[in-house]
Amino acid sequence: MTAVRVDSMRIVTLIGKYGFLALGGFLTLLPFYWMAGGSLMTTQEITSRPMDWYPHTPKWNNYEALAEAIPVARMYLNSAIVTASVLVGILFTSSLAGYGFAKFRFPGRDKLFLMVLATMMVPFFVVLIPVLYIVRTFGWVDSYMGLIVPNLVTAFGIFLMRQNMLSIPDELIDAARIDGSSEFGTYWRIVVPLVRPALGALSVITFVFTWNSFLWPLVVLRSRDLFTVPIGLNLLQQYFATEEAIPLQLAGATLSSVPVIAVFAFLQRYFVQGLALTGIKG
Amino acid sequence: MLLGDRLKVRYAQRHVVTGYLFVAPALAFLLLFGVFPIVFAFGISLHNWNMVTPVSEMRFAGADNYSHLILDDSLFRKSLGNTFVFTAANVLIGLGLALSVALLVNTRVKGRTFWRVVYFLPYVTSSVAVAIVWENLYHPFGLLNRLLSLGGIPSQRFLASVDQALPSIIGVSIWHGMGYLVIIFVAGLQNIPLEYYEAAKVDGAGDWSRFRHITMPLLKPTLFFVAVVSTIGSLQIFDLPFLITEGGPIDATETVVLYLYDTAFTFARMGRASAMSFILFVIILVLTIIQIRLFRERE
């Protein structure tokens, strides 16, 4: 008797558990389905009653129409240039500074590191106007430089690298020095390979956030030639706001999400590790 | 001095210089684009400035920008109210849902990675793509209204309604941000040693009592972290209302950073916008300190 009751209890719990996860998963994925599905529909199909759940004949030329409305290839190129530059910059500056803070002793070190942590607390909107002014002073408004240079360092990156490098044994570094390795050589050949997983995590996070970055490019850019993917999409949303343009907008949204979702799907382990690190020690 | 000691001193000095060299590039950027701008922004907030006239000709305004915002600007108060409502709902509902999902994903469940990826997808999607899709879902003839009509529920106006616009934006925001919270919660749950649960099981503790007496107390640091980060992020909400409703209808979704953006880049009032940013910054700091206190007291 009891065994039967326990079993039916367990079945109810199981159904509840998977039911909740599945319902949540359905609600989470539905907008993605609609984004991709709608990008292949006609406007009539998108708004028809009773509703069409799928495009009856996929309209691939929505994508051709998209490419005619906005310079899609150019937007991808711009986003790729900016993201790659920022990525290289952040990996380099973060690992260099992280090494300096983790493995060297110099006057003011702890105060400087505290300053790094403090800037992590400052919201971007506080510094937005002054940074724009500085960028203008350098003549970098509406240029790659303006998009890239202010983003070459993040306090989070320095913090992440330092935490990871603290656990590298000093003996290993001293041994390299005794073997006649230069300081930079030690960093490059001993330290960097040891923190490769953390660099991977930082790369994936930086990639996703830079690729999706919106407010800063919105403020810095003027000419369409330099528009990154999100800014170009925003243009599409603003100037092609008719019902007929809905499939076009969805096609743009789909296209813009492909790179980040691909990177995330293949490297999700790194991404999850990196974000989890922000929670555990932060 | 012995030769060995002299070598040690020279070695140490060399290390001081090398240490500075390693941190110098990052610190130079951080000073220029992170530290100096804070001081500069505070200076701007005490002036009237349109960013076009040279800095040397900024007109000093004392605390005028601050007093105007706090005493005379009803739109600023409205935007503050909206931002608080948004933050409260986004944090409480988001945390509740994310914790539920994390607890389930962390139990013996089939396809753990699959669920994690599913719930995480929105977080890596750009806010512009998110805005486009959800504007379409909330459309009068959009998917949501058609789903509602299947259940016999009349059409809702969602984004076009003064009462429903902010809740609609909150819904998008929870959907967009939940993946991050789930990841942090799962990481926190996995840090709890399994032996505790086994010991409690031996002592005859049920599911609920194990959750109350083991999971919750040990998850508290994670909960605290998530609450703080989520509050700080929510108070800065800009992208979604900017892209989806532009603050409307009738300012129903106007938020502080959205108002700040318009003040700075539509009306070129840099002083007032900077004052706004400091008021919000102070609110963020105060709320963070309150949260730290609350969590300490419960220890």
Side-chain angles (χ1 to χ4, degrees), chain A residues 18 21 34 46 48 51 107 133 136 177 212 237 243 268 271, chain B residues 15 20 51 55 110 113 119-120 124 135-136 139 143 146 175:
Chain A
Y18 284 101
L21 280 177
W34 200 244
I46 285 182
S48 71
M51 59 187 296
Y133 182 76
R136 252 182 50 161
R177 281 180 185 137
N212 288 340
Q237 202 207 14
E243 302 250 301
Q268 62 114 356
F271 199 85
Chain B
H15 273 206
Y20 279 124
M51 206 188 258
V55 175
K110 287 246 158 62
T113 314
Y119 281 102
F120 206 69
V124 295
E135 232 186 305
N136 187 242
H139 190 272
L143 189 66
R146 287 185 291 168
W175 174 84

PDB file of all heavy atoms in Angstrom, chain A residues 18 21 34 46 48 51 107 133 136 177 212 237 243 268 271, chain B residues 15 20 51 55 110 113 119-120 124 135-136 139 143 146 175:
ATOM      1  N   TYR A  18       8.817  18.386 -14.426  1.00  0.00           N
ATOM      2  CA  TYR A  18       9.049  18.539 -15.859  1.00  0.00           C
ATOM      3  C   TYR A  18       8.021  19.460 -16.487  1.00  0.00           C
ATOM      4  O   TYR A  18       8.319  20.176 -17.447  1.00  0.00           O
ATOM      5  CB  TYR A  18       9.058  17.172 -16.553  1.00  0.00           C
ATOM      6  CG  TYR A  18      10.346  16.426 -16.302  1.00  0.00           C
ATOM      7  CD1 TYR A  18      10.412  15.418 -15.357  1.00  0.00           C
ATOM      8  CD2 TYR A  18      11.504  16.761 -16.991  1.00  0.00           C
ATOM      9  CE1 TYR A  18      11.591  14.750 -15.105  1.00  0.00           C
ATOM     10  CE2 TYR A  18      12.693  16.107 -16.748  1.00  0.00           C
ATOM     11  CZ  TYR A  18      12.740  15.095 -15.799  1.00  0.00           C
ATOM     12  OH  TYR A  18      13.911  14.450 -15.557  1.00  0.00           O
ATOM     13  N   LEU A  21       9.263  23.006 -15.863  1.00  0.00           N
ATOM     14  CA  LEU A  21      10.419  23.288 -16.723  1.00  0.00           C
ATOM     15  C   LEU A  21       9.996  23.430 -18.180  1.00  0.00           C
ATOM     16  O   LEU A  21      10.475  24.305 -18.901  1.00  0.00           O
ATOM     17  CB  LEU A  21      11.463  22.178 -16.597  1.00  0.00           C
ATOM     18  CG  LEU A  21      12.383  22.233 -15.391  1.00  0.00           C
ATOM     19  CD1 LEU A  21      13.310  21.028 -15.382  1.00  0.00           C
ATOM     20  CD2 LEU A  21      13.204  23.516 -15.409  1.00  0.00           C
ATOM     21  N   TRP A  34       9.033  32.560 -32.953  1.00  0.00           N
ATOM     22  CA  TRP A  34       8.296  33.571 -33.690  1.00  0.00           C
ATOM     23  C   TRP A  34       9.232  34.469 -34.492  1.00  0.00           C
ATOM     24  O   TRP A  34       8.924  34.901 -35.596  1.00  0.00           O
ATOM     25  CB  TRP A  34       7.444  34.406 -32.727  1.00  0.00           C
ATOM     26  CG  TRP A  34       6.352  35.109 -33.454  1.00  0.00           C
ATOM     27  CD1 TRP A  34       6.185  36.444 -33.580  1.00  0.00           C
ATOM     28  CD2 TRP A  34       5.289  34.497 -34.172  1.00  0.00           C
ATOM     29  NE1 TRP A  34       5.079  36.712 -34.338  1.00  0.00           N
ATOM     30  CE2 TRP A  34       4.509  35.534 -34.720  1.00  0.00           C
ATOM     31  CE3 TRP A  34       4.925  33.164 -34.430  1.00  0.00           C
ATOM     32  CZ2 TRP A  34       3.382  35.289 -35.503  1.00  0.00           C
ATOM     33  CZ3 TRP A  34       3.801  32.933 -35.202  1.00  0.00           C
ATOM     34  CH2 TRP A  34       3.041  33.972 -35.723  1.00  0.00           C
ATOM     35  N   ILE A  46       1.486  36.720 -40.599  1.00  0.00           N
ATOM     36  CA  ILE A  46       1.880  37.087 -39.243  1.00  0.00           C
ATOM     37  C   ILE A  46       0.692  37.569 -38.429  1.00  0.00           C
ATOM     38  O   ILE A  46       0.604  37.334 -37.235  1.00  0.00           O
ATOM     39  CB  ILE A  46       2.991  38.169 -39.292  1.00  0.00           C
ATOM     40  CG1 ILE A  46       4.306  37.515 -39.687  1.00  0.00           C
ATOM     41  CG2 ILE A  46       3.152  38.862 -37.950  1.00  0.00           C
ATOM     42  CD1 ILE A  46       5.464  38.445 -39.716  1.00  0.00           C
ATOM     43  N   SER A  48      -2.695  36.988 -39.240  1.00  0.00           N
ATOM     44  CA  SER A  48      -3.973  36.380 -39.634  1.00  0.00           C
ATOM     45  C   SER A  48      -4.711  35.769 -38.447  1.00  0.00           C
ATOM     46  O   SER A  48      -4.134  35.410 -37.436  1.00  0.00           O
ATOM     47  CB  SER A  48      -3.717  35.286 -40.670  1.00  0.00           C
ATOM     48  OG  SER A  48      -3.106  34.188 -40.037  1.00  0.00           O
ATOM     49  N   MET A  51      -4.832  31.934 -36.357  1.00  0.00           N
ATOM     50  CA  MET A  51      -3.413  32.177 -36.605  1.00  0.00           C
ATOM     51  C   MET A  51      -2.721  31.074 -37.396  1.00  0.00           C
ATOM     52  O   MET A  51      -3.083  29.912 -37.351  1.00  0.00           O
ATOM     53  CB  MET A  51      -2.685  32.373 -35.286  1.00  0.00           C
ATOM     54  CG  MET A  51      -2.786  31.208 -34.327  1.00  0.00           C
ATOM     55  SD  MET A  51      -2.072  31.687 -32.781  1.00  0.00           S
ATOM     56  CE  MET A  51      -0.409  31.950 -33.289  1.00  0.00           C
ATOM     57  N   PRO A 107      54.534  49.931  -4.081  1.00  0.00           N
ATOM     58  CA  PRO A 107      53.813  50.877  -3.231  1.00  0.00           C
ATOM     59  C   PRO A 107      52.491  51.295  -3.874  1.00  0.00           C
ATOM     60  O   PRO A 107      52.449  51.584  -5.070  1.00  0.00           O
ATOM     61  CB  PRO A 107      54.760  52.078  -3.121  1.00  0.00           C
ATOM     62  CG  PRO A 107      56.102  51.557  -3.506  1.00  0.00           C
ATOM     63  CD  PRO A 107      55.885  50.406  -4.420  1.00  0.00           C
ATOM     64  N   TYR A 133      32.560  63.443 -24.426  1.00  0.00           N
ATOM     65  CA  TYR A 133      33.306  64.697 -24.609  1.00  0.00           C
ATOM     66  C   TYR A 133      34.786  64.412 -24.878  1.00  0.00           C
ATOM     67  O   TYR A 133      35.395  65.010 -25.768  1.00  0.00           O
ATOM     68  CB  TYR A 133      33.149  65.596 -23.377  1.00  0.00           C
ATOM     69  CG  TYR A 133      33.860  66.902 -23.536  1.00  0.00           C
ATOM     70  CD1 TYR A 133      33.328  67.902 -24.342  1.00  0.00           C
ATOM     71  CD2 TYR A 133      35.095  67.125 -22.923  1.00  0.00           C
ATOM     72  CE1 TYR A 133      33.986  69.097 -24.521  1.00  0.00           C
ATOM     73  CE2 TYR A 133      35.761  68.324 -23.106  1.00  0.00           C
ATOM     74  CZ  TYR A 133      35.209  69.304 -23.895  1.00  0.00           C
ATOM     75  OH  TYR A 133      35.874  70.484 -24.086  1.00  0.00           O
ATOM     76  N   ARG A 136      35.207  63.168 -28.306  1.00  0.00           N
ATOM     77  CA  ARG A 136      35.085  64.275 -29.248  1.00  0.00           C
ATOM     78  C   ARG A 136      36.357  65.092 -29.327  1.00  0.00           C
ATOM     79  O   ARG A 136      36.783  65.519 -30.399  1.00  0.00           O
ATOM     80  CB  ARG A 136      33.929  65.185 -28.839  1.00  0.00           C
ATOM     81  CG  ARG A 136      32.759  65.055 -29.777  1.00  0.00           C
ATOM     82  CD  ARG A 136      31.663  65.976 -29.384  1.00  0.00           C
ATOM     83  NE  ARG A 136      32.111  67.338 -29.174  1.00  0.00           N
ATOM     84  CZ  ARG A 136      31.297  68.383 -29.172  1.00  0.00           C
ATOM     85  NH1 ARG A 136      30.022  68.186 -29.369  1.00  0.00           N
ATOM     86  NH2 ARG A 136      31.763  69.581 -28.956  1.00  0.00           N
ATOM     87  N   ARG A 177      62.341  32.941 -14.102  1.00  0.00           N
ATOM     88  CA  ARG A 177      63.281  34.063 -14.036  1.00  0.00           C
ATOM     89  C   ARG A 177      64.703  33.546 -13.934  1.00  0.00           C
ATOM     90  O   ARG A 177      65.612  34.055 -14.599  1.00  0.00           O
ATOM     91  CB  ARG A 177      62.976  34.923 -12.820  1.00  0.00           C
ATOM     92  CG  ARG A 177      61.800  35.841 -13.055  1.00  0.00           C
ATOM     93  CD  ARG A 177      61.541  36.677 -11.835  1.00  0.00           C
ATOM     94  NE  ARG A 177      60.339  37.481 -12.023  1.00  0.00           N
ATOM     95  CZ  ARG A 177      59.411  37.655 -11.101  1.00  0.00           C
ATOM     96  NH1 ARG A 177      59.563  37.102  -9.902  1.00  0.00           N
ATOM     97  NH2 ARG A 177      58.361  38.391 -11.351  1.00  0.00           N
ATOM     98  N   ASN A 212      26.475  42.926 -28.776  1.00  0.00           N
ATOM     99  CA  ASN A 212      25.131  43.424 -28.492  1.00  0.00           C
ATOM    100  C   ASN A 212      25.094  44.870 -28.027  1.00  0.00           C
ATOM    101  O   ASN A 212      24.021  45.425 -27.845  1.00  0.00           O
ATOM    102  CB  ASN A 212      24.475  42.557 -27.410  1.00  0.00           C
ATOM    103  CG  ASN A 212      24.103  41.182 -27.937  1.00  0.00           C
ATOM    104  OD1 ASN A 212      23.980  40.985 -29.137  1.00  0.00           O
ATOM    105  ND2 ASN A 212      23.942  40.241 -27.026  1.00  0.00           N
ATOM    106  N   GLN A 237      13.979  49.500 -37.362  1.00  0.00           N
ATOM    107  CA  GLN A 237      12.782  49.565 -36.523  1.00  0.00           C
ATOM    108  C   GLN A 237      12.165  50.966 -36.573  1.00  0.00           C
ATOM    109  O   GLN A 237      10.953  51.114 -36.519  1.00  0.00           O
ATOM    110  CB  GLN A 237      13.159  49.181 -35.099  1.00  0.00           C
ATOM    111  CG  GLN A 237      11.979  48.696 -34.282  1.00  0.00           C
ATOM    112  CD  GLN A 237      12.177  48.934 -32.812  1.00  0.00           C
ATOM    113  OE1 GLN A 237      13.068  49.676 -32.406  1.00  0.00           O
ATOM    114  NE2 GLN A 237      11.349  48.313 -32.001  1.00  0.00           N
ATOM    115  N   GLU A 243       3.461  47.949 -41.152  1.00  0.00           N
ATOM    116  CA  GLU A 243       3.093  46.542 -40.968  1.00  0.00           C
ATOM    117  C   GLU A 243       3.845  45.652 -41.971  1.00  0.00           C
ATOM    118  O   GLU A 243       4.253  44.548 -41.641  1.00  0.00           O
ATOM    119  CB  GLU A 243       1.592  46.380 -41.207  1.00  0.00           C
ATOM    120  CG  GLU A 243       0.741  47.234 -40.285  1.00  0.00           C
ATOM    121  CD  GLU A 243      -0.006  46.406 -39.272  1.00  0.00           C
ATOM    122  OE1 GLU A 243      -0.779  45.538 -39.694  1.00  0.00           O
ATOM    123  OE2 GLU A 243       0.208  46.626 -38.061  1.00  0.00           O
ATOM    124  N   GLN A 268      29.270  27.463 -24.450  1.00  0.00           N
ATOM    125  CA  GLN A 268      28.455  27.812 -23.296  1.00  0.00           C
ATOM    126  C   GLN A 268      29.141  27.481 -21.973  1.00  0.00           C
ATOM    127  O   GLN A 268      28.954  28.159 -20.982  1.00  0.00           O
ATOM    128  CB  GLN A 268      27.069  27.172 -23.368  1.00  0.00           C
ATOM    129  CG  GLN A 268      27.042  25.691 -23.371  1.00  0.00           C
ATOM    130  CD  GLN A 268      26.385  25.137 -22.111  1.00  0.00           C
ATOM    131  OE1 GLN A 268      26.029  25.874 -21.220  1.00  0.00           O
ATOM    132  NE2 GLN A 268      26.276  23.829 -22.053  1.00  0.00           N
ATOM    133  N   PHE A 271      31.208  30.383 -20.997  1.00  0.00           N
ATOM    134  CA  PHE A 271      30.341  31.502 -20.661  1.00  0.00           C
ATOM    135  C   PHE A 271      29.776  31.326 -19.254  1.00  0.00           C
ATOM    136  O   PHE A 271      29.838  32.226 -18.420  1.00  0.00           O
ATOM    137  CB  PHE A 271      29.200  31.567 -21.677  1.00  0.00           C
ATOM    138  CG  PHE A 271      28.520  32.885 -21.728  1.00  0.00           C
ATOM    139  CD1 PHE A 271      29.020  33.897 -22.514  1.00  0.00           C
ATOM    140  CD2 PHE A 271      27.389  33.120 -20.983  1.00  0.00           C
ATOM    141  CE1 PHE A 271      28.399  35.120 -22.563  1.00  0.00           C
ATOM    142  CE2 PHE A 271      26.760  34.342 -21.027  1.00  0.00           C
ATOM    143  CZ  PHE A 271      27.272  35.342 -21.822  1.00  0.00           C
TER     144      PHE A 271
ATOM    145  N   HIS B  15      61.517  44.683  -9.356  1.00  0.00           N
ATOM    146  CA  HIS B  15      60.151  44.164  -9.361  1.00  0.00           C
ATOM    147  C   HIS B  15      59.108  45.248  -9.218  1.00  0.00           C
ATOM    148  O   HIS B  15      58.038  45.149  -9.782  1.00  0.00           O
ATOM    149  CB  HIS B  15      59.986  43.128  -8.243  1.00  0.00           C
ATOM    150  CG  HIS B  15      60.379  41.788  -8.708  1.00  0.00           C
ATOM    151  ND1 HIS B  15      59.885  40.645  -8.160  1.00  0.00           N
ATOM    152  CD2 HIS B  15      61.212  41.422  -9.698  1.00  0.00           C
ATOM    153  CE1 HIS B  15      60.402  39.618  -8.802  1.00  0.00           C
ATOM    154  NE2 HIS B  15      61.224  40.064  -9.722  1.00  0.00           N
ATOM    155  N   TYR B  20      54.679  48.044 -11.825  1.00  0.00           N
ATOM    156  CA  TYR B  20      54.015  49.237 -12.348  1.00  0.00           C
ATOM    157  C   TYR B  20      53.802  49.132 -13.854  1.00  0.00           C
ATOM    158  O   TYR B  20      52.759  49.509 -14.377  1.00  0.00           O
ATOM    159  CB  TYR B  20      54.835  50.497 -12.036  1.00  0.00           C
ATOM    160  CG  TYR B  20      54.641  51.014 -10.621  1.00  0.00           C
ATOM    161  CD1 TYR B  20      55.719  51.189  -9.761  1.00  0.00           C
ATOM    162  CD2 TYR B  20      53.367  51.340 -10.161  1.00  0.00           C
ATOM    163  CE1 TYR B  20      55.547  51.660  -8.465  1.00  0.00           C
ATOM    164  CE2 TYR B  20      53.178  51.810  -8.877  1.00  0.00           C
ATOM    165  CZ  TYR B  20      54.271  51.972  -8.037  1.00  0.00           C
ATOM    166  OH  TYR B  20      54.084  52.435  -6.765  1.00  0.00           O
ATOM    167  N   MET B  51      27.589  71.101 -24.324  1.00  0.00           N
ATOM    168  CA  MET B  51      28.679  70.290 -24.883  1.00  0.00           C
ATOM    169  C   MET B  51      29.300  70.921 -26.122  1.00  0.00           C
ATOM    170  O   MET B  51      30.365  70.507 -26.562  1.00  0.00           O
ATOM    171  CB  MET B  51      28.242  68.863 -25.210  1.00  0.00           C
ATOM    172  CG  MET B  51      29.427  67.898 -25.167  1.00  0.00           C
ATOM    173  SD  MET B  51      29.036  66.256 -25.742  1.00  0.00           S
ATOM    174  CE  MET B  51      28.867  65.395 -24.214  1.00  0.00           C
ATOM    175  N   VAL B  55      34.633  74.008 -22.629  1.00  0.00           N
ATOM    176  CA  VAL B  55      34.464  73.739 -21.203  1.00  0.00           C
ATOM    177  C   VAL B  55      34.718  74.994 -20.381  1.00  0.00           C
ATOM    178  O   VAL B  55      34.040  75.255 -19.383  1.00  0.00           O
ATOM    179  CB  VAL B  55      35.429  72.618 -20.771  1.00  0.00           C
ATOM    180  CG1 VAL B  55      35.359  72.411 -19.265  1.00  0.00           C
ATOM    181  CG2 VAL B  55      35.086  71.334 -21.487  1.00  0.00           C
ATOM    182  N   LYS B 110      16.583  15.172 -16.161  1.00  0.00           N
ATOM    183  CA  LYS B 110      17.159  14.754 -17.450  1.00  0.00           C
ATOM    184  C   LYS B 110      17.468  15.989 -18.295  1.00  0.00           C
ATOM    185  O   LYS B 110      16.678  16.933 -18.325  1.00  0.00           O
ATOM    186  CB  LYS B 110      16.161  13.860 -18.190  1.00  0.00           C
ATOM    187  CG  LYS B 110      16.039  12.486 -17.582  1.00  0.00           C
ATOM    188  CD  LYS B 110      16.563  11.407 -18.527  1.00  0.00           C
ATOM    189  CE  LYS B 110      16.944  10.137 -17.785  1.00  0.00           C
ATOM    190  NZ  LYS B 110      15.812   9.506 -17.082  1.00  0.00           N
ATOM    191  N   THR B 113      21.923  20.262 -19.174  1.00  0.00           N
ATOM    192  CA  THR B 113      22.552  21.252 -20.058  1.00  0.00           C
ATOM    193  C   THR B 113      21.524  21.851 -20.999  1.00  0.00           C
ATOM    194  O   THR B 113      21.515  23.055 -21.243  1.00  0.00           O
ATOM    195  CB  THR B 113      23.677  20.594 -20.883  1.00  0.00           C
ATOM    196  OG1 THR B 113      24.457  19.814 -20.003  1.00  0.00           O
ATOM    197  CG2 THR B 113      24.524  21.629 -21.557  1.00  0.00           C
ATOM    198  N   TYR B 119      17.028  28.248 -21.064  1.00  0.00           N
ATOM    199  CA  TYR B 119      16.702  29.401 -20.241  1.00  0.00           C
ATOM    200  C   TYR B 119      17.710  30.535 -20.416  1.00  0.00           C
ATOM    201  O   TYR B 119      17.447  31.667 -20.055  1.00  0.00           O
ATOM    202  CB  TYR B 119      16.610  29.001 -18.759  1.00  0.00           C
ATOM    203  CG  TYR B 119      15.294  28.344 -18.443  1.00  0.00           C
ATOM    204  CD1 TYR B 119      15.198  26.968 -18.309  1.00  0.00           C
ATOM    205  CD2 TYR B 119      14.144  29.105 -18.324  1.00  0.00           C
ATOM    206  CE1 TYR B 119      13.983  26.361 -18.047  1.00  0.00           C
ATOM    207  CE2 TYR B 119      12.926  28.520 -18.066  1.00  0.00           C
ATOM    208  CZ  TYR B 119      12.845  27.145 -17.922  1.00  0.00           C
ATOM    209  OH  TYR B 119      11.651  26.566 -17.680  1.00  0.00           O
ATOM    210  N   PHE B 120      18.867  30.182 -20.944  1.00  0.00           N
ATOM    211  CA  PHE B 120      19.905  31.196 -21.062  1.00  0.00           C
ATOM    212  C   PHE B 120      19.860  31.960 -22.377  1.00  0.00           C
ATOM    213  O   PHE B 120      20.390  33.058 -22.464  1.00  0.00           O
ATOM    214  CB  PHE B 120      21.267  30.540 -20.892  1.00  0.00           C
ATOM    215  CG  PHE B 120      22.281  31.499 -20.402  1.00  0.00           C
ATOM    216  CD1 PHE B 120      22.186  31.986 -19.115  1.00  0.00           C
ATOM    217  CD2 PHE B 120      23.276  31.962 -21.225  1.00  0.00           C
ATOM    218  CE1 PHE B 120      23.083  32.904 -18.655  1.00  0.00           C
ATOM    219  CE2 PHE B 120      24.181  32.882 -20.766  1.00  0.00           C
ATOM    220  CZ  PHE B 120      24.089  33.356 -19.478  1.00  0.00           C
ATOM    221  N   VAL B 124      21.675  36.178 -24.096  1.00  0.00           N
ATOM    222  CA  VAL B 124      22.722  36.503 -25.076  1.00  0.00           C
ATOM    223  C   VAL B 124      22.155  37.204 -26.315  1.00  0.00           C
ATOM    224  O   VAL B 124      22.902  37.546 -27.222  1.00  0.00           O
ATOM    225  CB  VAL B 124      23.534  35.255 -25.522  1.00  0.00           C
ATOM    226  CG1 VAL B 124      24.303  34.684 -24.360  1.00  0.00           C
ATOM    227  CG2 VAL B 124      22.637  34.213 -26.148  1.00  0.00           C
ATOM    228  N   GLU B 135       7.724  43.597 -29.533  1.00  0.00           N
ATOM    229  CA  GLU B 135       6.776  44.572 -30.049  1.00  0.00           C
ATOM    230  C   GLU B 135       5.768  43.863 -30.934  1.00  0.00           C
ATOM    231  O   GLU B 135       4.577  44.159 -30.913  1.00  0.00           O
ATOM    232  CB  GLU B 135       7.525  45.629 -30.865  1.00  0.00           C
ATOM    233  CG  GLU B 135       7.212  47.043 -30.429  1.00  0.00           C
ATOM    234  CD  GLU B 135       7.854  48.053 -31.329  1.00  0.00           C
ATOM    235  OE1 GLU B 135       9.093  47.983 -31.498  1.00  0.00           O
ATOM    236  OE2 GLU B 135       7.138  48.914 -31.862  1.00  0.00           O
ATOM    237  N   ASN B 136       6.294  42.906 -31.701  1.00  0.00           N
ATOM    238  CA  ASN B 136       5.425  42.140 -32.580  1.00  0.00           C
ATOM    239  C   ASN B 136       4.506  41.190 -31.804  1.00  0.00           C
ATOM    240  O   ASN B 136       3.339  41.030 -32.135  1.00  0.00           O
ATOM    241  CB  ASN B 136       6.319  41.363 -33.557  1.00  0.00           C
ATOM    242  CG  ASN B 136       5.502  40.669 -34.618  1.00  0.00           C
ATOM    243  OD1 ASN B 136       5.512  39.466 -34.720  1.00  0.00           O
ATOM    244  ND2 ASN B 136       4.760  41.450 -35.373  1.00  0.00           N
ATOM    245  N   HIS B 139       1.654  43.153 -30.359  1.00  0.00           N
ATOM    246  CA  HIS B 139       0.864  43.848 -31.385  1.00  0.00           C
ATOM    247  C   HIS B 139      -0.624  43.508 -31.204  1.00  0.00           C
ATOM    248  O   HIS B 139      -0.971  42.415 -30.775  1.00  0.00           O
ATOM    249  CB  HIS B 139       1.369  43.380 -32.761  1.00  0.00           C
ATOM    250  CG  HIS B 139       0.833  44.152 -33.904  1.00  0.00           C
ATOM    251  ND1 HIS B 139      -0.343  43.824 -34.528  1.00  0.00           N
ATOM    252  CD2 HIS B 139       1.325  45.237 -34.559  1.00  0.00           C
ATOM    253  CE1 HIS B 139      -0.561  44.678 -35.515  1.00  0.00           C
ATOM    254  NE2 HIS B 139       0.437  45.545 -35.559  1.00  0.00           N
ATOM    255  N   LEU B 143       0.859  37.634 -31.668  1.00  0.00           N
ATOM    256  CA  LEU B 143       0.736  36.255 -31.200  1.00  0.00           C
ATOM    257  C   LEU B 143       0.049  36.174 -29.837  1.00  0.00           C
ATOM    258  O   LEU B 143      -0.811  35.316 -29.614  1.00  0.00           O
ATOM    259  CB  LEU B 143       2.134  35.638 -31.122  1.00  0.00           C
ATOM    260  CG  LEU B 143       2.184  34.140 -30.851  1.00  0.00           C
ATOM    261  CD1 LEU B 143       1.582  33.378 -32.017  1.00  0.00           C
ATOM    262  CD2 LEU B 143       3.605  33.698 -30.612  1.00  0.00           C
ATOM    263  N   ARG B 146      -3.631  36.640 -30.005  1.00  0.00           N
ATOM    264  CA  ARG B 146      -4.277  35.508 -30.676  1.00  0.00           C
ATOM    265  C   ARG B 146      -4.302  34.284 -29.768  1.00  0.00           C
ATOM    266  O   ARG B 146      -5.248  33.508 -29.786  1.00  0.00           O
ATOM    267  CB  ARG B 146      -3.584  35.231 -32.009  1.00  0.00           C
ATOM    268  CG  ARG B 146      -3.945  36.320 -33.032  1.00  0.00           C
ATOM    269  CD  ARG B 146      -3.401  36.030 -34.379  1.00  0.00           C
ATOM    270  NE  ARG B 146      -1.957  36.154 -34.386  1.00  0.00           N
ATOM    271  CZ  ARG B 146      -1.198  35.722 -35.389  1.00  0.00           C
ATOM    272  NH1 ARG B 146      -1.748  35.106 -36.406  1.00  0.00           N
ATOM    273  NH2 ARG B 146       0.088  35.887 -35.346  1.00  0.00           N
ATOM    274  N   TRP B 175      11.974  38.036 -18.850  1.00  0.00           N
ATOM    275  CA  TRP B 175      12.301  37.013 -19.847  1.00  0.00           C
ATOM    276  C   TRP B 175      13.757  37.168 -20.305  1.00  0.00           C
ATOM    277  O   TRP B 175      14.494  36.198 -20.421  1.00  0.00           O
ATOM    278  CB  TRP B 175      11.346  37.162 -21.038  1.00  0.00           C
ATOM    279  CG  TRP B 175      11.635  36.272 -22.196  1.00  0.00           C
ATOM    280  CD1 TRP B 175      11.239  34.970 -22.353  1.00  0.00           C
ATOM    281  CD2 TRP B 175      12.372  36.599 -23.380  1.00  0.00           C
ATOM    282  NE1 TRP B 175      11.679  34.474 -23.552  1.00  0.00           N
ATOM    283  CE2 TRP B 175      12.380  35.455 -24.206  1.00  0.00           C
ATOM    284  CE3 TRP B 175      13.027  37.747 -23.826  1.00  0.00           C
ATOM    285  CZ2 TRP B 175      13.014  35.429 -25.446  1.00  0.00           C
ATOM    286  CZ3 TRP B 175      13.657  37.718 -25.065  1.00  0.00           C
ATOM    287  CH2 TRP B 175      13.644  36.574 -25.859  1.00  0.00           C
TER     288      TRP B 175
END
